[in-house]
Amino acid sequence: MWDQLIQFVHAHQRFLVTTHEHPDGDAVGAQLGFAFVLEELGKSVLMVNQDPLPRIYRFLDPEGRIRAYAPERDDAAIAACDAAVVVDVGSLGRVGRVGQAIKRLGKPVACIDHHVTNDAFAAVNVVKTDAASVASLVLDLLRTLGRTPSRQAAEALYVGLATDTGWFRYPNAKPEAFRDAADLVACGADPARIYELVYQNLSWPRTRLLARALATLTSDCDGRIAYMTVTRAMFEETGAADEEVEGFVDKLREVGGVEIIALFRETPQGGTRVSLRAKHDLDVGSLAARFGGGGHRRAAGINLDASLAAAMPPILAAARELLRR
């Protein structure tokens, strides 16, 4: 599985390692974890993302090496790289302006991913759709190379694995995920510390934003669909950052009888970001694909240029149709 990627790594010296817009725990954990792999092999690494590193994951990057894209600074740095590796991404478009820079500068690209909607955009694609997380894949690469992750790498990979399995509560938490977790703990990852820093270290602005979002909570189809909205005004009222909506959609998993969950968030440009979840065996990934989005069977997302008022009705109609099937 790894032969082509290993050849790709050996063929280049200076790497850009990046991930999708609005990075989550698996994106950040896999990005840092793969950067550590490259550095152990004597390679140089640049880490630039479309968006800033979310506050709750900054403990993984105490030196602030992951930076938000600024073209006047980063285009020259990206141009100086020999190649790019993108993680946790199904299409180059999801990498945002960093992806545009990679394409414009003609950099060869490798991809490590686990999304069923991956469109094989890279020169080298390692896509394993049954992997619990992309962090798990990076750990498997380390094993293939005969290496053991450092404590810092183990911590980053553990965050990726734990967050993408809902702290080992979601259906993708198969036996392999627990074995990976045990190996990472043996290498120095501290589950109690990580849980506190990620899940018990939320800001007051985020908490106030969640309260406002929950006030919009609406049910449909006799409670089988639950959705809520977050507007720009809510961000302004609470002082919360865009990144702090991560995890809001998963709060609605706690409601009994809900099968499809949606969070509609107004973007700074006036568009709509839709986060979708399914509690049972419903394919919200296919629903997202109908609107140009993608993701997994039970967790997916869509970016739309439409306003909240225009975006919500067709998405909700599609969710009702999915239930009727």
Side-chain angles (χ1 to χ4, degrees), residues 32-185:
L32 285 166
F34 189 73
F36 295 140
V37 172
L38 290 174
E39 289 172 340
E40 285 215 349
L41 295 173
K43 310 296 182 176
S44 63
V45 178
L46 170 71
M47 289 182 279
V48 182
N49 294 340
Q50 161 79 40
D51 297 301
L53 182 65
R55 185 185 65 85
I56 58 174
Y57 302 126
R58 288 177 194 163
F59 73 97
L60 296 173
D61 183 29
E63 297 174 356
R65 295 182 59 196
I66 298 176
R67 61 201 197 198
Y69 177 68
E72 65 280 0
R73 174 195 64 199
D74 294 319
D75 280 352
I78 294 171
C81 292
D82 305 321
V85 178
V86 297
V87 298
D88 198 33
V89 170
S91 68
L92 192 59
R94 292 243 24 231
V95 187
R97 291 187 298 158
V98 178
Q100 294 168 14
I102 291 170
K103 189 173 182 179
R104 184 172 66 251
L105 295 166
K107 298 301 173 183
V109 181
C111 174
I112 308 173
D113 188 33
H114 67 154
H115 292 93
V116 295
T117 52
N118 188 286
D119 62 12
F121 64 90
V124 175
N125 297 283
V126 179
V127 182
K128 193 169 187 296
T129 58
D130 60 351
S133 64
V134 180
S136 304
L137 293 175
V138 175
L139 178 59
D140 186 64
L141 172 60
L142 276 165
R143 291 175 180 138
T144 301
L145 293 168
R147 295 175 180 269
T148 301
S150 66
R151 185 201 60 77
Q152 191 175 6
E155 200 167 58
L157 295 175
Y158 191 94
V159 165
L161 174 60
T163 56
D164 242 35
T165 58
W167 210 259
F168 309 98
R169 294 173 297 138
Y170 297 163
N172 60 337
K174 302 288 174 54
E176 295 80 8
F178 288 94
R179 285 193 283 270
D180 288 347
D183 287 349
L184 293 169
V185 171

Side-chain angles (χ1 to χ4, degrees), residues 260-273:
I260 296 176
I261 301 157
L263 172 69
F264 297 90
R265 171 163 57 95
E266 187 178 15
T267 68
Q269 296 77 30
T272 303
R273 166 71 181 172

Side-chain angles (χ1 to χ4, degrees), residues 219-239:
S219 66
D220 202 335
C221 290
D222 297 320
R224 297 174 69 197
I225 296 174
Y227 61 95
M228 58 186 180
T229 58
V230 179
T231 65
R232 299 316 304 171
M234 293 179 187
F235 283 107
E236 293 166 9
E237 291 163 4
T238 60

